[in-house]
Amino acid sequence: RMRPVWTPGGPPPPGWREFFAIPVTWRQISEPNDPVWWVDLLTPRQFREGFGSHTPLLSGQARVVRYHPHWERAFALMKEMMLGQMALSRLVSDELKSAKSCADLYELLQRDFWVMTYCFSASRRGHVLEGTRLVQEVREPEGFEFSIRTPGTPARWSDYNTELK
């Protein structure tokens, strides 16, 4: 039944919003306690303030059961990305390779920080979109929070909207 929609000379194919409306509707029906909405339909004030997801793998001394199994891989990726995204001295770069914990990273940098994963555009040659962020923050008195965050800012939303068109 969908064949007439995608044949040459037929109506244009559905856009990304129509495509994703199917799982959004299913999610709203199957799990009514989980809110699902289009973020670009927030009020202008809410949209400008930004929004996003925040998934801790380590929170203070607690390992988040659902996500901590990914910690070693994320930690190794963070160290690799720090070398390419931060201006580090040669000494810090060398010591970074042997870091095994959030405390080790904090000892090297003496501050909270984040690195960003890259998403290479499939529609705009050479364009890089902002991916998720790997974030490390001090959480007194219990230790550190190591999390994955996906920011939602108007500029990022616009960039991804252009990508999906």
Side-chain angles (χ1 to χ4, degrees):
R1 297 205 186 265
M2 291 302 289
R3 187 174 306 248
V5 173
W6 291 318
T7 57
W16 67 267
R17 187 179 298 265
E18 292 80 16
F19 179 77
F20 282 103
I22 297 166
V24 165
T25 302
W26 174 84
R27 183 66 182 198
Q28 289 170 328
I29 293 168
S30 67
E31 195 58 56
N33 290 326
D34 286 351
V36 180
W37 63 89
W38 295 109
V39 293
D40 62 330
L41 298 180
L42 295 170
T43 66
R45 186 175 137 262
Q46 291 170 319
F47 194 62
R48 279 191 308 275
E49 288 174 0
F51 48 88
S53 68
H54 176 210
T55 306
L57 283 73
L58 176 69
S59 184
Q61 296 176 4
R63 295 176 177 180
V64 178
V65 175
R66 185 173 182 178
Y67 301 110
H68 194 267
H70 304 286
W71 185 82
E72 283 186 33
R73 183 174 174 210
F75 188 75
L77 180 61
M78 176 180 262
K79 292 190 327 181
E80 178 184 323
M81 295 172 76
M82 288 171 69
L83 292 170
Q85 294 180 21
M86 302 174 104
L88 303 173
S89 71
R90 187 170 198 69
L91 177 63
V92 170
S93 294
D94 290 343
E95 290 182 14
L96 176 63
K97 295 170 187 165
S98 62
K100 303 253 187 279
S101 68
C102 292
D104 291 345
L105 294 183
Y106 190 80
E107 188 175 320
L108 291 173
L109 297 180
Q110 297 295 308
R111 63 183 170 87
D112 296 342
F113 67 94
W114 57 270
V115 293
M116 177 187 72
T117 62
Y118 300 112
C119 292
F120 297 99
S121 174
S123 65
R124 295 171 281 169
R125 186 180 197 115
H127 184 72
V128 179
L129 296 98
E130 181 177 349
T132 57
R133 296 175 182 178
L134 299 175
V135 181
Q136 177 177 300
E137 299 174 297
V138 172
R139 286 290 183 243
E140 296 296 340
E142 63 271 345
F144 298 92
E145 180 172 278
F146 186 94
S147 60
I148 298 171
R149 294 187 186 174
T150 304
T153 59
R156 187 175 189 275
W157 181 262
S158 176
D159 204 19
Y160 275 89
N161 192 36
T162 301
E163 183 71 15
L164 290 170
K165 284 186 177 177

